[in-house]
Amino acid sequence: MANLLITGGAGFIGGNFVHFWAARHPEDKLIVLDSLTYAGNRATIAGVEQAELVVGDIRDTALVEKLLRNHDVDTLVHFAAESHVDRSISGPDTFVETNVVGTHSLLKAARTAWLDEGSGKPHRFHHISTDEVYGSLEPDDPAFSETTQYRPNSPYAASKAASDHLVRSYHQTFGLEVTSSNCSNNYGPYQHPEKLIPLFLLNALHDKPLPIYGDGMNVRDWLHVEDHCRGIEACLDNGTVGENYNIGGGAELANMAVIDKICALVDEAFAGNEALSSRFPNAPAAKGSPTATLKTFVTDRMGHDRRYAIDETKARAELGYAPSWTFEEGMVQTVEWYLQNEAWWRPLAQRP
């Protein structure tokens, strides 16, 4: 039996991890620390009996120390982060506060509880990061590996790069037992409607434009969130302390290909289920028109990285990790989930 502290566990990836871990490790106790900003949602982890939600800020070092001690936590899985690039461009201060200062606060608390005052028992601080820290690739460049030089291009990516270095430093300097993972673009259930796939899906249901940055040919590697959770589990079980691992989905696609898949799946869903036309009467698909008519090209985002790609050789060799979802299967499951869980996303879609 283990006791885990999961930061950001009411968010998208963290919430999926709570469900994943609870199902696979029913004997473990899960303490979820989340400040419930716009991206956090109690409903995401409702019904997970093993999970105790503590509403609080990761920058509150004293609170984190208390949770680590009082719950005899031996594993901290750190998801909590500001993660939307557009928001980092319009308001970078919050990203520095949460992603850099917040991560340092957690590291200080872990050092105090586990090293300075701890019993010396084995522990693990696992830090979740992003492939965006590596910058942008040219079309023929090799995929990002764990030795690729950091070249962050957005305030979001820069803040995550800084947090990665802090985590490494606490291992090298103080001996904190850490691992890190850098993931590609996640998708799946419980993702906030500001992100590409749920945004375009919900816009399609409500006859709103599908805003495509630039020429729509920016390339990303797409990772189903359940595979990401599986990769994190592999890091905790088999990862070498002090090492970082790239976790990818093996689906390198242009944004336009992803958008076309969303449009096709929405059209297929309406064609196969007459009730959807009653629920979403404004959708083009409800009126017999292709969803793709909503595609609208808009001015490209500042500093928009052209291509990301993940080389997951190290994770496959050392962790035994391999993605289990194909992009086709994952997208079908994701669209079906949103169509079946309107009660979850409706309140979020109405927030600013």
Side-chain angles (χ1 to χ4, degrees):
M1 177 178 178
N3 298 324
L4 282 70
L5 176 61
I6 302 170
T7 71
F12 165 44
I13 305 175
N16 274 280
F17 182 79
V18 168
H19 284 277
F20 176 87
W21 196 271
R24 291 173 64 87
H25 304 272
E27 73 284 358
D28 288 357
K29 174 68 175 178
L30 309 179
I31 310 301
V32 174
L33 177 61
D34 201 296
S35 59
L36 296 182
T37 62
Y38 78 95
N41 188 354
R42 293 175 183 269
T44 296
I45 56 172
V48 182
E49 294 183 359
Q50 295 148 259
E52 176 183 338
L53 175 62
V54 177
V55 180
D57 195 317
I58 59 173
R59 294 173 297 174
D60 187 344
T61 309
L63 170 61
V64 178
E65 288 181 16
K66 180 180 177 181
L67 293 174
L68 293 173
R69 292 193 194 98
N70 291 356
H71 295 279
D72 195 25
V73 170
D74 51 27
T75 303
L76 191 159
V77 188
H78 177 32
F79 294 95
E82 294 286 344
S83 65
H84 194 47
V85 175
D86 286 0
R87 289 178 182 262
S88 81
I89 294 170
S90 61
D93 288 5
T94 302
F95 286 71
V96 173
E97 282 294 323
T98 299
N99 299 351
V100 183
V101 178
T103 298
H104 189 222
S105 170
L106 294 173
L107 289 165
K108 289 190 294 181
R111 178 191 174 193
T112 298
W114 287 337
L115 299 179
D116 297 346
E117 302 174 6
S119 63
K121 70 176 182 179
H123 59 267
R124 180 68 64 85
F125 185 114
H126 184 75
H127 173 62
I128 287 83
S129 190
T130 171
D131 58 0
E132 297 194 36
V133 299
Y134 299 122
S136 185
L137 294 170
E138 295 298 322
D140 296 327
D141 285 344
F144 299 133
S145 74
E146 290 80 0
T147 59
T148 299
Q149 182 177 344
Y150 276 29
R151 295 178 182 272
N153 290 323
S154 69
Y156 162 61
S159 68
K160 291 299 290 185
S163 68
D164 293 1
H165 294 318
L166 282 169
V167 172
R168 172 182 167 82
S169 75
Y170 265 66
H171 170 68
Q172 295 291 336
T173 302
F174 304 115
L176 195 68
E177 296 176 9
V178 308
T179 45
S180 296
S181 54
N182 295 72
C183 68
S184 55
N185 275 36
N186 279 227
Y187 70 99
Y190 300 110
Q191 189 169 29
H192 191 276
E194 72 180 358
K195 298 292 188 172
L196 188 151
I197 290 175
L199 173 66
F200 278 48
L201 172 57
L202 300 190
N203 279 11
L205 298 179
H206 296 93
D207 194 30
K208 295 181 179 180
L210 307 182
I212 302 167
Y213 281 133
D215 62 2
M217 298 308 293
N218 299 75
V219 174
R220 301 292 183 263
D221 176 88
W222 291 91
L223 170 65
H224 191 281
V225 67
E226 184 180 275
D227 280 334
H228 188 192
C229 294
R230 186 175 295 107
I232 295 168
E233 180 187 47
C235 287
L236 293 172
D237 288 346
N238 304 317
T240 300
V241 169
E243 293 294 317
N244 67 298
Y245 299 90
N246 283 350
I247 307 296
E252 189 178 338
L253 297 166
N255 286 345
M256 188 63 75
V258 176
I259 294 163
D260 287 340
K261 174 56 67 175
I262 295 169
C263 293
L265 289 175
V266 170
D267 291 346
E268 291 172 13
F270 274 76
N273 183 353
E274 294 182 0
L276 290 176
S277 295
S278 298
R279 290 173 56 197
F280 306 106
N282 293 326
K287 296 173 280 191
S289 297
T291 299
T293 59
L294 295 174
K295 292 196 293 187
T296 305
F297 289 92
V298 299
T299 302
D300 204 358
R301 180 170 69 200
M302 291 186 291
H304 198 179
D305 290 338
R306 190 62 173 175
R307 173 178 170 244
Y308 303 147
I310 285 283
D311 179 351
E312 59 198 33
T313 301
K314 181 178 178 181
R316 288 177 180 268
E318 297 186 16
L319 307 179
Y321 166 78
S324 63
W325 287 87
T326 67
F327 184 73
E328 175 71 26
E329 293 168 340
M331 282 297 294
V332 169
Q333 183 253 14
T334 299
V335 170
E336 289 179 350
W337 188 89
Y338 279 92
L339 292 175
Q340 294 170 5
N341 289 274
E342 183 178 355
W344 181 87
W345 57 256
R346 178 68 68 181
L348 299 181
Q350 295 171 346
R351 291 184 191 176

